[in-house]
Amino acid sequence: MFLIPTPAHEATFFPLSRKQPRRDHSVRTLDERFVRILKIFKWGPDAEKALEVLKLKVDHRLVREVLKVDVEISVKIQFFKWAAKRRNYEHDSTTYMALIRCLHEVGLVGELWKTVQDMVRSTCLTSPAELSEIVRILGSAKMVNKAVSIFYQIKGRKCKPTASTYNSLILMLMQEGYHEKVHELYNDMSNEGNCLPDTLTYSALISSFGKMGRDDSAIRLFDEMKENGLHPNAKIYTTVLAIYFKLGRVEQALDLIKEMKEIGCTPTVYTYTELIRGLGKIARVDEAYGMFLSMIKENCKPDVVLINNLINILGKAGRLDDALKLFQEMESLQCIPNVVTYNTVIKALFQCRAPASEAFSLLEKMRVSGIAASAYTYSILIDGFCKTNRVEKALLLLEEMDEKGFPPCPAAYCSLINALGRAKRYEAANELFQELKENCGASSARVYAVMIKHFGKCGRMNEAIDLFNEMKKLGCNPDVYAYNALMSVMVRVGMINEAQSLLRTMEENGCTPDINSHNIILNGLARTGGSKQAVEMFSKMKHSMIKPDAVSYNTLLGCFSRAGMFEEAVRLMKEMNQNGFEYDLITYSSILEAVGKIDDDPGPANA
């Protein structure tokens, strides 16, 4: 028979008082001897006997303590099931939750779901906090629909949810991308009558609607919460700020910042990031930079995401000195550059036509700083070297990418193929194209478009058409660039009818033509179809969604010039100016060819 040993150092003693304190076995910490037995013998007759000898009463406290012991999960499950069968004992919500946490920790999803179902079927009541935890656990185990089902089962019989409980389910649904269900839950919550949405509810709902593109609904909820006497927090203001910029309601976005400051809601770094990004997108660069300086004065510490966005905005605006200055100040701002920062600065250097050596030196600086270059880093450098006619350097970087184990990057190949084509190194371009297909099994529509364009330029019309058909067979749907490339090839060899047919096919296949698509056809008609057809197409463009641009006007001007239509050319030139397009060398060349001189009206330079 199993007996609990008495250690030698534990001497028997008698208290000085005859009156001994009553010991509550149900509340004391588990005896270490029982824990050791549980670890050695698992759960079974020996462990059960130990409970009897130690006079440990089976109650909720004991069950919770046993479930805390560091033993195998199977031992905990067996003990839990054994306890459930004891006379005068029944699990309550605290013991069920203790086992649910253990099962979640070890990832036993099936047993977890079974235990939750047992808890729902039992007679024990569930608190709102416990219901919230069950929802979170099921959500993190990717059992979203089951979490919703359990919520409604418990809500109907065993628990009266609070706003916090609803919020737990709403947040879980958001994290798992179930945004539509969030709105359904909000309606249920509103219909409860005694469970009104709070700030956290509105925050989740507004964010969810924003992600679904239901911007008007998000703004309506924002106004509703304020009408209900709730104060939006910085996160809500930031979400609505981004929505206003997205909708082009810039002044309302700026008014939000004023409103925040007036009510004492301090803008966070995330608020300033959205503000600066929004201003940058509409080219209000000075204001974006000014907002950055303001946040520094207000002791709002920028993070690397904000600075990356601002460097990108400054680079696109050609303000390289400001971008580099900001990059150099990052250390003093206690903001460590990451790979995205370096990529953004390298891109800005190329955009502003800085020496390619400066961009390459940043790659070396990254290595010294212990920041690993990404595939995108190499892609930017390769594209930059290609655009500055340093193709051999770009090829070396492509080799280095391969040596470092990066997968083939279609964007890098696209830049190189295009550069080799411009240099009339068509065979080398084709070799790279074939290499990309061999390494990837296929290629992107953009790379196909570049290769089609260059096949057309070197007179290999059949190969260009074959490539276009090949990409369709491989399941690579042609994009607008691929269609434009082939239409351009067709126009170049005088196949204007075929090019027009391809434009119709493009639209039928759901690929929306852009202004270049129409200009390619217009150019073909202007050169081979006579002025009448070109004028008709130009007129259609003016009455369509895609309006003529400067290229369209210059194309038709060239047509009029070649046809000796002097008055029409002068009239079109005036119309071009009235529509806000500036004359360029092509414009002047066309009109000079047509009439020998500009008419007496002053040009835009003197207007």
Side-chain angles (χ1 to χ4, degrees), residues 481-545:
Y481 300 99
Y483 276 107
N484 287 353
L486 188 56
M487 285 192 294
S488 184
V489 171
M490 290 173 168
V491 166
R492 188 176 287 109
V493 296
M495 297 169 62
I496 185 62
N497 291 333
E498 289 81 354
Q500 286 180 295
S501 175
L502 188 62
L503 179 64
R504 289 190 291 272
T505 302
M506 176 184 181
E507 293 174 314
E508 290 166 4
N509 290 340
C511 184
T512 306
D514 61 8
I515 184 64
N516 294 325
S517 313
H518 290 281
N519 282 341
I520 289 165
I521 302 299
L522 181 64
N523 181 51
L525 292 172
R527 291 186 176 280
T528 61
S531 59
K532 183 178 179 183
Q533 286 181 293
V535 169
E536 285 177 0
M537 180 166 184
F538 187 84
S539 179
K540 285 180 182 177
M541 287 174 70
K542 288 200 291 185
H543 294 91
S544 72
M545 294 293 291

Side-chain angles (χ1 to χ4, degrees), residues 215-216 219-220 222-223 226 237-260 275 279 282 284 287:
D215 301 319
D216 290 339
I219 293 168
R220 179 182 57 77
F222 176 68
D223 293 334
K226 290 193 288 185
Y237 273 110
T238 302
T239 303
V240 177
L241 180 78
I243 291 171
Y244 276 144
F245 273 119
K246 177 184 168 185
L247 297 174
R249 293 158 68 171
V250 180
E251 296 311 313
Q252 283 178 279
L254 296 176
D255 286 342
L256 276 187
I257 300 296
K258 294 177 186 174
E259 182 181 312
M260 287 181 75
L275 178 59
L279 290 168
I282 56 172
R284 289 168 67 164
E287 287 176 79

Side-chain angles (χ1 to χ4, degrees), residues 38-49:
L38 201 59
K39 288 183 177 181
I40 295 168
F41 295 99
K42 313 302 180 189
W43 180 254
D46 289 330
E48 188 176 340
K49 184 64 179 176

